[in-house]
Structure formats: C-alpha cells, structure tokens
Amino acid sequence: MTTGKLNKGRADAGLCVYPVWRPSTGIYISTLWRVAVALLMLWLTRFMFVAANYDLCGSPSISEILRLSVHGLRYDISAVLYFNILFIAMRIIPLSFVYRKGWLRVSDWVYGICTALLLAVNIGDIPYYAFTGSRLRWVNILNVGTDSGIFKIIVQYSVQYWWAYLVGVATIVVTLWLAFLFRTEKPKNMLPWPWRTVIFLIVGFLCFAGMRGRIGKGNPLGIADAAFVVRKAPEINVVLNSPFTILRSLNVKKSNSEPLLEFFSEEELNSIRMSEHQGSGPLKKRNFIIIMIESGGAEWIDAMSVLGPHHTMPFLDSLSRTGTVVDNVMACGRASVGGTTAVLGGFPAFEPMHFMLSPYNQNTIDSPARLLGAKGWDTAFFYGCAHGSFNIDQTAYASGYRKIVDLDSYGINEDFDGTWGVFDYPMAERVVSDLNGLERPFIAAWFTITSHSPFVLPEGWDTSRYHHKELGAEQVLEYTDESIAHFFELASKESWYNNTTFIITADHGNREFSGQNVDGDYVRNRIPLIIYTPDGSMPARRINDRVASQHDIAATLFRLAGYDSPYVCLGEDILSDNFKGFGIVRTDGGRYFVSAPDTAIYFVS
C-alpha cells in the first residue's frame, strides 16, 4: 500500500528532483519498481539502436523488430540484474538497518550509478556499432583503451555524435526521475525476520535465474543463443544488448584462449588444407611495400565496384587497370588490429581473440617480414597513430618489422590531425624519405589513417578539385587517394622504385553501402588487392574466378618473393592455379564464409 507525503528532503531522496507530492511505499515494492524502470528503459533503448542502425540490422519490419525485442527481454533482464545485484542485495538483506536513512541513501546512489552506466554503455554502442559490426565486447574496450589519446577521441566524437550524448543524458535523467518517484518508508509493523529471510532467499534465487538466463541444466544464456530466434544474421544485434555482450565476454583469459579441438587425424587435415608450405624459390631480391588503407573497401575503387562509380579513388582506379587485381578478397573482420594481424602475420584474428591481447602474443610467427628479414631484407612499418594505439604497432613489431614510425617518432606537431595521428599526405613524404635510408632489398608497410571517422582534413586543404564537396567518408578517401598518388610520384624518382612490388589492400571494408539492394556482408567486408610492379613483371589482369581471405595475402607475398624455405601460414597463395581458399569474415557474432561471389554460408559461434 502506498501513501502520499510531502517530500521534505528525506535522506532517501535519491539522485533526482521530485514533485512536491511523492508517494511512499515499502522497501520491497520500491526496489522492484526501480529494477523494473531500469529494465523498461534498457528495453526501449533497443529501438533507438535499430533506428540508428536500421540497414546494418538487416532492415527488419516493424513486426519483426517487436518480435525480436520480446526475445531480447531475457538478455535485458540478465544485464539489469548483473548491474543492480548489489543494490538489490542492499535492499532485501533481512536485517533491520536497511531502513536507516544513510543505508537507503547509499543504496540509492549504488542504483543510480549502476543504472546510468548500464544505459550509457547501451546507448554509447549505438554509433560505435557501425565501426565494429557487432555489439560491444570486453576486448573492444581493452582495444580502445590502448590508445593514449582516447579522451581526446571521445571529445572529438562528442561533436560528431552529439545526438548520442544528448539522448544518453536525457534517457538517464528520465530513468532516475521515474525510478525515484516512490519514497521508501519503514512500515509500522515489520515482517518477522524469518519471513524476511525467506523473501531474501526467494529473491536471491530469482535473481540468480535471471542473471543466468535459464533455469536447470546447461550453460548460462550466451551471446550465440540469440541466433536461434532470428531469421537473418544481422538481427542478432537487435536481440542482444551491449551490457550483456560485455559481461559475457568479460573473462579475458577465456575469451583470448582457443581450446584444442581434434576432429581429424594429421593425414586427413593435410589432405584438406596444409598450413605448412615448402616455399617456391628461388629468392627474388625485390623490395615489397604493402599499403593498407583505413576503411578502404574495394567498393570505393570504381574498377572494383559492384554498386556503380563513386569517384572517390581515381588514382587507385587507374593503378588497378595496370596491375594484377584480385576481385574477391574478404577482410577477416571489422577491427583494424585484426586486419593488420591478417595482412602482416598471415592468420586471422577474430574477436574476441586478438593476438596481441592473447596469451599467445609471445609466440614467434612465420610472417613475411620476419622470415624475409632473416634472409637479408630490411624492414619498416609506418603508422601515424600514437605508440600502442589499438596494439597495431606492437602487432607490426611482432610480425618482424623492426623500424616503426608512429606519431611519437614522426615528431612534427603541425601534421597531427588532432584525433588519430599524422595526415596521410605528409606521411606519404615521410615514408619515401625513410625508405631511402633502408638497406636493399626491404619490405615495408604503410597503414594510412586519415580515412577514419571523424573525417578530418588538414586546415585549408584545397578540395575544389574533388568530386565530393561535403566533408565525409567519400571526400576524405579522395584525400587518401591523392596522398597515395603523391607517394607514387615521389617514389617513382627513386632508384629502388622499378625493383619494387607494391601490394595495396585495406585493414577492413567500408560501412557506407549496407542499405543497397546487394549482399550487405559481401559489400561491407570486401577489400581490394592490387599487386603493381613498375617494371611490368606482374601482368595487368583481373582474377575473379576465386574468393580469398585477407590472411591469404601473406602467403601470396611469400610466393612473389620466391621464398625458398618451409614456413607455416594459415593462408594460401592466391595466385596459384591450385588455390583452394575461401573468404571468411567475423561478423554479427558469428563467421561468414564466402566460397564464390554469390555463395555464402553463415554460422554462429
């Protein structure tokens, strides 16, 4: 039973400003009310998520969204209970001091902080989802936390995604206002402590069952369980919520370790796919330069586009017509560090297992830079971000690149974009300058960064000649393309240029074309692979009769170098007539296999 009383600054007044007339109720009802409010608001934020990422969620109908949201209640209940279990315990513990003003105030603060964090995580993932293609995992937070400029990046994104911050603050304020509408009052006749103990045990069991997601045998509710209620893979992220996926991936040691599974004998495995390669030989003392374009999906290059011309990368478009192009290469995932691992190391790094964050990061890998370095190649890696940003420079070092040029060693503050690192155009000049100081032959990699959101160009940069006049992904990619053209112009004047093989690819695909009437996963995750040799040793041709994966690029480089010793690589030589590869992408909480441009198999893991 509730009664209405004037709010005169009681100790349990909580965290909000209330109406003068505020109903009071017992501790059990007020506790249930606050948990229910948190659950309702978390459930409603799902519709914000779908509205902002409608295409990326598979464009579900309204009825389908409602159906998925009902199935998502189990995940919401679990997350709300995990975040509020301390608050619930403080309120229902069968001791009389729970009614003391100080205890009630502390419990209210616990509720307010935990519920605000719960909603902030879920709403914050609304814009971030477009970058990752899946709900937040703990490894994403660890990954972002490696960037020394993370606070500056957050401030920058607060401008670009101001609406998410505004919605988040408004949602939290409304939630707390609703939650504290009821004032907790000590009853005149308290229940005897045995009854309060029974209630404590019953509520404790219900909370345990709700957090676990199911009652009885079997594992607790998991991320992959969402696949059983969806009709299309991207809808998994409509069912889930981000606090739940973070909690379920919180065990770093477990999430970064892979169990040893044995399904085949050694002979059977070798007949299906051999990861130990014998080498082709003889060694070709050529230089190799890998250019990885940030978010440089194949769709941006008109010669490789399936949606029509975009006029974003005219230089690479022309270069693709004079080199060897592999049309169907799939990125391994949405994270830059995963793409870097695949291209430089020769093996995929699927979330939540990232090599540099895993227990295996001290292992020696048979990467092109390390093995060619042992044969006499000099090595260098160019990455304009701060040292340690997303573990990318550490990944390059673990892959055998001994000279690392990053924001810290670049040393010219005027070329800093204010968020991520060095603008691509001046970095192009630095790359050429430093390559002149390497011993020949060399293997080098340049990871461009400017084509990353929030899409900033150098102040005063002339864009009048650009096809895209508005600042955004297309205009910034025109700038990156111009920077790569500038790099080639400078490199062409150097003595090492004609004896160099250029390999142009990307860390991962783009995310701008998912709403088109095409296979969204295929378009979003397809990356370019252009192999260009100024001396014409690689013919101008298109290879479109196979689908390859990003980690096949390393094995292909070994073949181009004529590497003549055995090595271990999960990828295969894409240029081989006996190539038996396929595309594999980590997306939407599962893996997406592509064996032909029009054939795909999806499974959840």
Side-chain angles (χ1 to χ4, degrees):
M1 181 173 180
T2 62
T3 59
K5 292 194 176 183
L6 291 176
N7 178 15
K8 295 182 180 180
R10 294 272 307 234
D12 62 340
L15 309 176
C16 299
V17 178
Y18 306 104
V20 174
W21 188 262
R22 185 173 167 222
S24 63
T25 188
I27 196 167
Y28 296 120
I29 294 178
S30 65
T31 301
L32 177 62
W33 168 258
R34 290 174 192 179
V35 173
V37 168
L39 176 61
L40 173 65
M41 298 305 289
L42 179 64
W43 186 76
L44 290 176
T45 57
R46 174 177 284 102
F47 298 96
M48 304 179 196
F49 179 87
V50 176
N53 299 287
Y54 183 70
D55 295 334
L56 297 174
C57 291
S59 306
S61 63
I62 294 177
S63 61
E64 183 69 1
I65 294 172
L66 291 173
R67 185 186 71 83
L68 295 170
S69 65
V70 171
H71 284 289
L73 269 173
R74 277 205 305 169
Y75 301 87
D76 297 345
I77 291 171
S78 179
V80 168
L81 291 176
Y82 267 112
F83 272 73
N84 282 290
I85 192 61
L86 177 59
F87 162 73
I88 296 171
M90 291 178 70
R91 305 276 290 197
I92 67 170
I93 188 171
L95 299 173
S96 59
F97 64 74
V98 297
Y99 286 100
R100 292 179 181 174
K101 294 179 181 179
W103 185 264
L104 288 172
R105 173 162 293 191
V106 171
S107 71
D108 286 347
W109 275 96
V110 168
Y111 172 84
I113 293 172
C114 292
T115 299
L117 181 61
L118 171 85
L119 296 173
V121 167
N122 208 46
I123 295 171
D125 198 24
I126 292 175
Y128 191 66
Y129 168 75
F131 295 95
T132 61
S134 66
R135 290 281 192 168
L136 269 175
R137 305 297 201 272
W138 179 242
V139 71
N140 298 129
I141 297 175
L142 293 178
N143 223 355
V144 171
T146 63
D147 197 300
S148 59
I150 184 60
F151 293 108
K152 185 178 293 186
I153 293 169
I154 290 174
V155 172
Q156 182 74 36
Y157 277 164
S158 70
V159 177
Q160 183 176 1
Y161 298 108
W162 59 268
W163 54 268
Y165 285 78
L166 184 62
V167 168
V169 170
T171 302
I172 292 170
V173 169
V174 170
T175 300
L176 298 182
W177 188 86
L178 287 172
F180 292 103
L181 277 179
F182 287 106
R183 182 168 53 87
T184 304
E185 187 175 55
K186 183 178 181 179
K188 295 179 180 179
N189 299 311
M190 289 181 58
L191 287 172
W193 71 265
W195 281 108
R196 283 182 280 142
T197 301
V198 170
I199 292 174
F200 176 79
L201 294 174
I202 292 174
V203 173
F205 172 77
L206 293 175
C207 287
F208 172 76
M211 293 162 66
R212 198 170 185 274
R214 55 168 56 102
I215 301 175
K217 297 180 180 180
N219 295 323
L221 185 68
I223 296 172
D225 289 320
F228 293 109
V229 299
V230 304
R231 296 190 175 99
K232 293 182 290 185
E235 294 176 347
I236 288 175
N237 296 296
V238 181
V239 179
L240 297 169
N241 64 71
S242 303
F244 177 87
T245 56
I246 290 174
L247 289 168
R248 280 290 178 259
S249 60
L250 197 55
N251 189 330
V252 179
K253 182 177 180 181
K254 179 179 178 182
S255 65
N256 282 295
S257 300
E258 295 295 332
L260 179 62
L261 303 176
E262 295 184 7
F263 298 104
F264 304 96
S265 67
E266 194 71 23
E267 294 74 19
E268 289 173 319
L269 281 175
N270 292 340
S271 66
I272 297 171
R273 188 178 180 92
M274 172 67 85
S275 295
E276 183 176 348
H277 305 264
Q278 297 307 310
S280 56
L283 274 177
K284 303 171 185 176
K285 294 290 186 176
R286 295 183 63 86
N287 309 305
F288 292 93
I289 298 177
I290 303 169
I291 301 177
M292 281 191 293
I293 304 168
E294 167 64 50
S295 303
E299 184 61 35
W300 294 120
I301 301 172
D302 288 351
M304 305 181 71
S305 170
V306 298
L307 302 179
H310 303 287
H311 309 292
T312 53
M313 310 198 86
F315 174 75
L316 289 184
D317 185 45
S318 64
L319 197 69
S320 69
R321 301 177 193 277
T322 59
T324 297
V325 174
V326 183
D327 271 328
N328 303 299
V329 179
M330 306 301 293
C332 291
R334 304 292 302 160
S336 296
V337 65
T340 306
T341 302
V343 173
L344 304 185
F347 60 94
F350 293 132
E351 295 180 11
M353 204 293 285
H354 283 313
F355 178 67
M356 292 309 299
L357 296 177
S358 75
Y360 314 113
N361 59 10
Q362 297 182 12
N363 290 8
T364 300
I365 56 177
D366 283 359
S367 56
R370 190 183 75 82
L371 294 186
L372 290 178
K375 297 279 189 178
W377 270 256
D378 207 350
T379 61
F381 179 74
F382 301 88
Y383 175 58
C385 292
H387 170 65
S389 179
F390 295 94
N391 300 115
I392 288 175
D393 56 339
Q394 290 102 323
T395 300
Y397 192 84
S399 298
Y401 291 89
R402 289 296 169 257
K403 177 181 176 64
I404 305 289
V405 178
D406 55 20
L407 175 64
D408 301 328
S409 58
Y410 182 83
I412 303 176
N413 294 333
E414 291 77 8
D415 295 336
F416 177 48
D417 66 9
T419 303
W420 291 112
V422 182
F423 284 110
D424 289 345
Y425 200 89
M427 180 56 87
E429 298 175 348
R430 176 61 180 269
V431 173
V432 174
S433 174
D434 282 17
L435 290 178
N436 288 331
L438 296 182
E439 298 293 329
R440 318 284 169 74
F442 58 75
I443 175 171
W446 172 29
F447 189 162
T448 73
I449 67 168
T450 304
S451 50
H452 193 294
S453 160
F455 308 130
V456 178
L457 290 182
E459 185 175 357
W461 190 263
D462 181 16
T463 60
S464 60
R465 60 197 178 279
Y466 285 5
H467 183 85
H468 299 279
K469 302 302 182 183
E470 298 295 327
L471 182 63
E474 289 88 347
Q475 187 183 86
V476 173
L477 276 164
E478 285 195 72
Y479 169 83
T480 295
D481 182 76
E482 188 174 29
S483 302
I484 295 173
H486 184 53
F487 165 79
F488 272 89
E489 179 186 11
L490 296 175
S492 65
K493 302 173 183 178
E494 305 300 334
S495 59
W496 47 261
Y497 179 71
N498 284 330
N499 191 42
T500 302
T501 298
F502 296 88
I503 299 173
I504 300 167
T505 185
D507 61 334
H508 53 74
N510 50 265
R511 57 186 176 88
E512 307 298 324
F513 302 100
S514 57
Q516 301 289 340
N517 187 26
V518 295
D519 186 333
D521 282 319
Y522 175 74
V523 173
R524 284 200 304 270
N525 296 294
R526 190 170 66 103
I527 58 174
L529 177 55
I530 303 171
I531 304 172
Y532 173 72
T533 53
D535 62 0
S537 55
M538 288 293 293
R541 62 169 175 157
R542 302 290 292 271
I543 300 175
N544 52 22
D545 62 346
R546 62 197 66 186
V547 178
S549 192
Q550 193 173 28
H551 63 276
D552 292 318
I553 294 174
T556 307
L557 194 155
F558 276 122
R559 181 258 182 86
L560 294 172
Y563 189 73
D564 55 359
S565 301
Y567 64 94
V568 175
C569 183
L570 292 182
E572 293 191 14
D573 173 15
I574 302 173
L575 304 178
S576 170
D577 293 335
N578 299 319
F579 179 73
K580 298 185 296 184
F582 48 80
I584 180 171
V585 182
R586 171 76 176 189
T587 182
D588 296 319
R591 289 177 175 83
Y592 184 83
F593 286 87
V594 185
S595 58
D598 57 351
T599 304
I601 301 173
Y602 182 90
F603 79 94
V604 173
S605 60

